[in-house]
Amino acid sequence: MQLRRRDVDLWVHAGLFSLYLGTLSVFGVTRRLDPSLGSAAQLGLLLLTWSLLVFAVWRSKRVPLGGVVLLALLPYLHMLYFSATGESAGGAFSYLYKFSGFLMAPYLWVWARFRDDAQIERTLMLVASLLAARAVLSFAVPGLAITSGGFADDFTVYEWVGPLPRIFYPGMPLVFFGLMVSLRNLFLAADRQTTLELVRSVLFAAALAVNLSRGIMMFAVVVTALLLLVKFTSSRVAAGRKGRLVLMSLLALTGLTLVVVATPLSDTVAQVASGFSNQERFSLDQGNLDWRVEQMRAAYRMVETPEEQALGVGTNTFIPESIEHPVPGEVTNELHYSYDSVRWTFGAAGLALLVGFALLQPLLRVLVTRPASPLVLPVVMTGSFIALVGLYTVVFTTTDWSFVLSVCGALLNARCDAWRAAPSPVRSEPLTFPVPSQGVPHD
């Protein structure tokens, strides 16, 4: 059997990206076998990341997404400072791993620049589908996800919410990207492919829901509604059969809700709902948010000098997980509010690099260049989702979220570069024919 070059490229990069996304976590497994083995595996990932960075610079003859690379180098600068001053470097190594997703940005630009949209979409959708399927399977069969189980890696049951397991798993932002692509394809796919895209949309939506995070689900609904709104602003789409299909689906859902409320089914639903009474996940309880605010306030009380405001307190600074009820040994060097976490650790300089180069620069460049690519809309929506979730929970200091954010920035910049490098269409001069003069005879 012969493998085509495109197929080899697909599987090689799906495997490579899975190292950062945790699809089949090498690091989760090795860490549980032996902590030192897990650290060695992470060191191997860092060496691979630097090798790919060098390759990207050699291939492109420059440093693509240089601002994001500067952000990725901040943990290394902190390590050098600790070595020079003799300060403890405890916890600092973890940030080298956490920011490895940002350090991959130049290679991701090279990957996106020299591959067409179809190949990029196939690769990312393959990994996203595997992640979503594993998350839903872990929810349906919790024994596969429990940390002590034989098959466990980074897909874990964090807690039980009534009778439901709450699944924590890596790669969630790529699952959201898969949802955006599938919803976009519902408006573009041929009739025979509509069912497939609908099934994939349900799979991705279910995978996002099994995390049972109120903030993530809220932001996912907001950005999804924005995508649908953008699609329906097109009169061609709104008047099309698929537009009507979406509207009919919403009407059917509304009708089903009315049937449940107006029939004895409401009693059955009420009995099921009673199992979730007093559950924080299904309420507007502010306790969890108050805890995050208290953690942030306690962290910023540690910022005492102008230098710490500008450059941060350092990757070796820890704070108790719980401020009200601290437990010895339960400490962390990151905050739940991700923007505040970056500012606390790396100061205003780190936050400026994050917001300016990882979030705003790709979006502004797309608005100016307007490249013609079907990937632009799903990627912009995914980047917006990541930016919003960063307001609520840990995002930018995790490898998988930083990696997907780098994917978004690299894709948008690569498509803008390709669009600008494309030759302008040649305007042909209109053909003219000589008009005979009045006095000359002609056939």
Side-chain angles (χ1 to χ4, degrees), residues 69-314:
V69 173
L70 288 177
L71 175 64
L73 292 178
L74 291 180
Y76 291 91
L77 296 178
H78 282 224
M79 287 282 287
L80 291 174
Y81 176 79
F82 301 148
S83 299
T85 60
E87 287 190 28
S88 169
F93 177 78
S94 67
Y95 265 91
L96 305 185
Y97 172 65
K98 292 173 182 178
F99 273 35
S100 59
F102 291 129
L103 200 58
M104 277 289 289
Y107 179 79
L108 292 170
W109 179 89
V110 171
W111 172 72
R113 182 67 178 83
F114 297 102
R115 282 154 186 85
D116 56 47
D117 290 342
Q119 183 73 356
I120 293 171
E121 185 174 317
R122 285 180 64 207
T123 304
L124 296 179
M125 289 297 282
L126 171 62
V127 181
S129 299
L130 291 174
L131 287 165
R134 287 205 63 196
V136 173
L137 181 62
S138 299
F139 180 82
V141 188
L144 295 177
I146 296 175
T147 305
S148 59
F151 296 99
D153 49 11
D154 288 339
F155 287 73
T156 61
V157 177
Y158 178 73
E159 63 181 348
W160 288 85
V161 181
L164 299 180
R166 186 182 182 194
I167 307 299
F168 274 24
Y169 65 95
M172 187 177 294
L174 192 66
V175 172
F176 184 82
F177 170 80
L179 176 62
M180 294 295 97
V181 172
S182 294
L183 290 176
R184 180 211 64 189
N185 289 346
L186 280 175
F187 295 98
L188 302 176
D191 293 343
R192 63 181 180 276
Q193 296 177 330
T194 300
T195 302
L196 171 62
E197 295 300 340
L198 186 60
V199 170
R200 290 207 300 184
S201 299
V202 172
L203 172 65
F204 292 130
L208 292 171
V210 300
N211 182 258
L212 299 182
S213 168
R214 293 169 296 177
I216 287 178
M217 288 191 286
M218 178 182 70
F219 291 130
V221 169
V222 169
V223 179
T224 300
L226 180 60
L227 175 80
L228 295 176
L229 181 62
V230 169
K231 280 299 182 183
F232 276 104
T233 54
S234 167
S235 58
R236 178 181 60 83
V237 170
R241 187 186 66 81
K242 290 171 184 173
R244 293 196 299 270
L245 176 63
V246 173
L247 291 177
M248 291 300 295
S249 300
L250 294 175
L251 290 174
L253 181 61
T254 304
L256 179 62
T257 304
L258 292 175
V259 169
V260 171
V261 171
T263 64
L265 285 174
S266 59
D267 296 331
T268 303
V269 173
Q271 291 177 0
V272 173
S274 64
F276 303 98
S277 60
N278 301 320
Q279 293 290 340
E280 177 201 15
R281 295 290 101 194
F282 297 96
S283 71
L284 297 178
D285 178 70
Q286 294 292 311
N288 188 277
L289 295 179
D290 293 341
W291 165 73
R292 298 177 191 220
V293 171
E294 287 301 318
Q295 184 194 52
M296 179 190 67
R297 289 174 177 170
Y300 276 104
R301 284 196 290 268
M302 302 172 67
V303 180
E304 299 175 343
T305 66
E307 291 78 11
E308 289 177 337
Q309 292 178 355
L311 303 175
V313 297

